Amino acid sequence: MPSGHPQQDTAAQARPTGPRPLAPIPFDVEAVFPELTGTAREVTLLYPRAGRPGPGDSSIGGPLLWPADDPWPMCAEPDHYKPLSAPVGPEPVAMVPVVQLYARDVPGLVFPPGTDLLQILWCPLVHERAPYAAAPRLHWRSAASTAAGTTVGEPPYPHTAEEEFLPRPCTVSPTPAVEYPSWDMPEGLGELLDARFEALREERGFGFHDVATTQQSKVGGYPGWTQPPAWPDCAGCGTRMEHLLSVTATEPESGRWLPLDDRHPGQEGAATPSWKAEADPAALDGFGHGMELGDFGGTYFFVCRGCPDTPYAHRYDC
């Protein structure tokens, strides 16, 4: 399906889609900051890179494995619009693929029984009730049963769209890691540790938030908030929902979270500390899905696994 972004012949397209090599966190977080003991979370970092994924691949912005008996989703919400543009009109707007993940590629992602394929689409317009962002829909499917009756041909393309909600097709490289909280630290703890975080930077040359927390597209771990957290509660049972995944406008172009094989030539070895690493300029054009999401913000998806049908919600900040 077209995405609004031209295909690019970049080095990223030739990269393998398996886990990327990462430098470890360069200090023992819980030894230096025992107050953070027990707050580490496993996370799967996606590292979207411009490419040509197919419907049988995990991707961001790529084509979906779509069942022939399931009509392509259209958005007819009366409140969707394009800022500073003419009214959209009554014609429904085709939704666009945002995320497709196969269980085989993301072992850390828990799928509802009988499913092994996660798909997220959204209407690429601003919605007042979304709030103020693209309105998504989430599907859990069985890949085998879906593949047995897939639709043929291209899905409909939206007749109008806000460009910042149109991802370019990207391969992903699900990479397991561990991260610690940033915005999601227990109340008051961040302020308590601020002076010691600064002392760490002065002593070792890197900051806690630079090497132990990350804002990038990911599954699990902590949401990639750019503003104070806004965790949703489940409408069915009232419990706080679980972070499923984040789709963020930013991807690491330097520092500890930059994959080792994306480094500028000459920085691959141990001579350059991971927190000072810079990306290979030739690869930068292929980084990320191309969506700014407001002012380089993100969309965060949440689920409740305690209720039937795994209800979901989302939040957006910029």
Side-chain angles (χ1 to χ4, degrees):
M1 173 180 178
S3 69
H5 294 276
Q7 291 284 356
Q8 298 187 24
D9 291 322
T10 66
Q13 295 185 56
R15 292 198 185 281
T17 55
R20 308 295 298 279
L22 289 180
I25 298 177
F27 75 113
D28 186 331
V29 173
E30 295 178 22
V32 177
F33 302 107
E35 297 89 344
L36 295 175
T37 299
T39 63
R41 286 190 180 179
E42 294 183 354
V43 62
T44 301
L45 309 172
L46 294 178
Y47 292 111
R49 299 293 187 260
R52 296 185 178 91
D57 300 319
S58 294
S59 65
I60 288 182
L64 304 183
L65 188 74
W66 197 260
D69 59 356
D70 191 351
W72 189 259
M74 310 290 287
C75 180
E77 293 291 332
D79 69 334
H80 62 195
Y81 66 98
K82 289 178 64 175
L84 307 178
S85 298
V88 171
E91 182 183 352
V93 175
M95 303 187 86
V96 298
V98 180
V99 175
Q100 177 166 268
L101 296 175
Y102 285 85
R104 65 172 187 261
D105 298 324
V106 194
L109 176 57
V110 177
F111 284 75
T115 70
D116 58 358
L117 176 62
L118 169 63
Q119 297 173 329
I120 298 176
L121 309 88
W122 64 34
C123 172
L125 293 170
V126 174
H127 295 69
E128 293 291 347
R129 290 178 287 179
Y132 312 113
R137 296 183 194 175
L138 185 151
H139 300 269
W140 302 97
R141 302 188 189 277
S142 161
S145 60
T146 303
T150 53
T151 189
V152 178
E154 292 287 335
Y157 189 71
H159 65 86
T160 185
E162 184 67 12
E163 287 293 321
E164 69 176 275
F165 297 128
L166 290 175
R168 64 178 175 178
C170 289
T171 61
V172 293
S173 299
T175 301
V178 171
E179 67 171 336
Y180 285 83
S182 177
W183 282 102
D184 280 303
M185 283 190 187
E187 185 175 358
L189 185 56
E191 292 83 353
L192 179 67
L193 296 177
D194 272 349
R196 289 161 58 194
F197 287 161
E198 184 58 33
L200 177 77
R201 184 183 296 278
E202 292 178 0
E203 176 186 346
R204 307 197 189 189
F206 55 79
F208 166 82
H209 294 281
D210 300 329
V211 301
T213 74
T214 183
Q215 291 177 335
Q216 64 187 96
S217 296
K218 55 186 173 181
V219 175
Y222 290 95
W225 308 113
T226 62
Q227 297 181 19
W231 287 79
D233 292 331
C234 176
C237 66
T239 61
R240 191 170 90 162
M241 303 181 86
E242 169 188 333
H243 175 236
L244 178 69
L245 61 89
S246 292
V247 177
T248 66
T250 54
E251 291 294 327
E253 298 184 359
S254 62
R256 181 249 154 168
W257 297 101
L258 177 72
L260 299 178
D261 54 354
D262 272 335
R263 285 188 175 200
H264 191 288
Q267 295 185 345
E268 295 89 345
T272 301
S274 64
W275 57 92
K276 292 185 178 180
E278 298 288 339
D280 181 352
L284 281 175
D285 282 348
F287 281 32
H289 45 63
M291 297 184 291
E292 293 185 0
L293 300 176
D295 188 16
F296 295 99
T299 302
Y300 319 106
F301 297 89
F302 304 84
V303 294
C304 176
R305 300 193 184 277
C307 288
D309 301 322
T310 316
Y312 64 92
H314 75 286
R315 293 289 186 266
Y316 173 73
D317 66 16
C318 60

